[in-house]
Amino acid sequence: MHSTKPVGRGSSARKYDLLTAMGAFALFRDKHDQRRVLRLMTLITARYNWIRDELAVGQREIANLWSVDQRTVKREMALLRARGWLIVKRQGARGRVSEYALGIDQILSDTEPQWSAVGPDFELRMSDTDTPKVVPLPQKGVVPEPDISTGTEWVLAQALLHAEDPATYASWMAALDRIERAGGRVTLRAPSRFHAAYVQTHLEKRVLVALREIDSTVSEVRVVI
């Protein structure tokens, strides 16, 4: 899963991804959750210190930002803490405002069901880990050539892809089945959501080039599950 600390190299993209996940989650929920998440997103973009992982804003300032009274601020902040989206780092006392951190692990967990609504590339990126166990390893030994007896543009393109790079073909292209051809678009089926997203994100151009070698009228590749 995405790094829980959106700092360092690539941090800007991770911040946008986190906010995108929150927005997609909110749009799937009822109006009360939508408003609550929008308020938090606005507070994050306006006042969150990503480097220090800290939100230190007084209730009066939050009330002005949200155009509500301080009683509403207290209630909403309490609900966000209860959900685990905000974590108290230091409780306010004697004129000192409370300091919060984002509960990024909980936010990612809660929003994960809506990642696919953003797109397969987003879902793949958000699901990515440092552990390569989900990525098929290159095949050992001789990789069998595809059966081209049906003569479709896809099986002929598979033969080209096999000849070009047998290991990549075996890991990613061999399991793709042709579903339909509609105009210039060829639709392929992958065995899993991750497999489809990976091909669409990283190998789409290579697949399209191979298809166009066989049939120049192919203009688009779509990978589904």
Side-chain angles (χ1 to χ4, degrees):
M1 188 175 288
H2 240 8
S3 168
T4 58
K5 295 293 183 181
V7 296
R9 186 176 182 181
S11 60
S12 295
R14 290 195 292 274
K15 295 172 189 176
Y16 281 118
D17 283 346
L18 182 64
L19 293 170
T20 298
M22 293 170 66
F25 170 86
L27 292 169
F28 182 75
R29 309 285 290 192
D30 62 33
K31 63 181 181 181
H32 302 292
D33 273 338
Q34 288 180 6
R35 184 168 53 192
R36 184 168 300 119
V37 175
L38 175 60
R39 285 170 172 167
L40 179 58
M41 291 172 68
T42 303
L43 187 58
I44 290 171
T45 55
R47 291 290 181 265
Y48 201 79
N49 186 323
W50 294 96
I51 302 299
R52 297 179 59 183
D53 189 23
E54 181 180 281
L55 176 68
V57 187
Q59 290 184 358
R60 181 177 301 176
E61 186 176 355
I62 296 174
N64 289 335
L65 179 64
W66 288 355
S67 298
V68 298
D69 56 32
Q70 292 188 49
R71 180 180 298 177
T72 300
V73 171
K74 291 180 180 179
R75 183 187 71 245
E76 293 293 274
M77 296 294 279
L79 289 170
L80 289 167
R81 293 197 305 273
R83 175 170 276 172
W85 285 30
L86 283 178
I87 300 169
V88 178
K89 295 178 67 175
R90 186 170 67 178
Q91 190 68 48
R94 296 184 180 180
R96 185 182 64 199
V97 301
S98 296
E99 296 178 4
Y100 300 93
L102 284 179
I104 296 179
D105 286 336
Q106 188 62 51
I107 293 172
L108 293 177
S109 176
D110 289 349
T111 61
E112 184 174 2
Q114 277 68 59
W115 293 351
S116 61
V118 181
D121 58 331
F122 181 83
E123 185 177 27
L124 176 64
R125 187 166 65 250
M126 295 295 285
S127 301
D128 191 24
T129 68
D130 295 329
T131 304
K133 63 182 180 180
V134 295
V135 180
L137 296 174
Q139 299 291 316
K140 295 182 179 180
V142 177
V143 177
E145 295 183 6
D147 178 5
I148 61 173
S149 59
T150 60
T152 66
E153 76 286 291
W154 172 236
V155 297
L156 295 176
Q158 282 182 306
L160 292 179
L161 292 164
H162 173 275
E164 176 185 291
D165 186 346
T168 300
Y169 163 80
S171 293
W172 299 107
M173 284 82 157
L176 299 176
D177 295 321
R178 181 183 186 273
I179 302 302
E180 65 175 2
R181 170 74 180 272
R185 182 175 68 192
V186 175
T187 301
L188 306 173
R189 175 180 291 142
S192 70
R193 188 181 298 276
F194 177 85
H195 197 119
Y198 189 93
V199 172
Q200 199 80 64
T201 303
H202 299 287
L203 299 171
E204 178 183 3
K205 184 176 180 180
R206 187 182 300 187
V207 171
L208 182 59
V209 167
L211 281 165
R212 288 180 62 82
E213 284 287 321
I214 303 301
D215 185 344
S216 62
T217 64
V218 176
S219 58
E220 181 185 356
V221 177
R222 181 167 176 250
V223 186
V224 300
I225 57 172

